């Protein structure tokens, strides 16, 4: 049994299936904290706090059982290393018709940089 204790109410749950080699996100949320529970799979979580001047880019390997909590104004991109199933947990509106209000595009990882992140991950894991 794994227990997780979110620090706020959850009113939106999304089940996400992502294929190996995919990239997701490249955005931030201006008002919502996002929680993602990884059921199975693996990806590189790339993030940057937009509230801090000259903030560093953080890269973390995420695997099954991990809970990633992303505060508002933290840009994030996910580079998938395996087929992955995750659950997205949010308090607030995530309706598709309001997408431009709750999800703001931010190119943290360009398509050209993706291979470099994967290459570095493979080098670091050897």
């Amino acid at each position: 049994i794994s227990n997780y204790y979110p620090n706020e109410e959850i009113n939106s749950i999304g089940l996400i299936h992502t294929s190996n080699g995919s990239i997701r996100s490249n955005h931030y949320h201006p008002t919502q904290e996002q929680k993602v529970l990884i059921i199975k799979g693996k990806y590189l979580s790339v993030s940057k706090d937009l509230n801090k001047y000259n903030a560093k880019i953080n890269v973390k390997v995420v695997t099954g059982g991990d809970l990633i909590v992303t505060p508002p104004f933290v840009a994030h991109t996910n580079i998938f290393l395996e087929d992955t199933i995750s659950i997205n947990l949010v308090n607030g509106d995530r309706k598709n018709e309001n997408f431009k209000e709750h999800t703001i595009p931010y190119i943290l990882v360009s398509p050209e940089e993706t291979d470099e992140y994967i290459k570095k991950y493979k080098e670091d894991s050897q």
Side-chain angles (χ1 to χ4, degrees), residues 41-82:
K42 183 187 297 184
Y43 66 86
L44 295 176
S45 172
V46 183
S47 63
K48 179 180 179 181
D49 188 342
L50 301 179
N51 290 308
K52 296 180 182 173
Y53 179 74
N54 283 337
K56 292 170 116 181
I57 292 176
N58 298 302
V59 181
K60 179 179 179 178
V61 177
V62 177
T63 61
D66 289 346
L67 177 67
I68 302 300
V69 178
T70 306
F73 281 98
V74 173
H76 50 284
T77 302
N78 304 323
I79 303 168
F80 290 84
L81 305 169
E82 297 178 359

Side-chain angles (χ1 to χ4, degrees), residues 4 40 43 75 78 82 89-90 103-104 112 114-115 118 125:
Y4 303 89
K40 72 174 197 170
Y43 66 86
N78 304 323
E82 297 178 359
L89 307 153
V90 179
T103 303
I104 310 300
E112 298 79 26
T114 302
D115 289 339
I118 292 171
S125 63

Side-chain angles (χ1 to χ4, degrees), residues 10-16 25 27 29 32-39 67-68 70 76 78 85-91 94 102-103:
I10 303 296
N11 69 348
S12 174
I13 299 173
L15 179 62
I16 304 170
S25 300
H27 62 238
H29 306 286
Q32 297 169 332
E33 179 178 88
Q34 176 175 278
K35 295 155 207 68
V36 178
L37 177 60
I38 312 311
I39 304 303
L67 177 67
I68 302 300
T70 306
H76 50 284
N78 304 323
I85 298 173
S86 58
I87 297 174
N88 189 41
L89 307 153
V90 179
N91 181 8
R94 280 293 176 94
H102 58 69
T103 303

Side-chain angles (χ1 to χ4, degrees), residues 5 11 27 33 55 58 72 77 90 92 106 108 113 119-121:
Y5 301 96
N11 69 348
H27 62 238
E33 179 178 88
N58 298 302
T77 302
V90 179
Y106 184 94
L108 183 59
E113 295 172 306
K119 180 180 174 185
K120 181 163 178 24
Y121 158 75

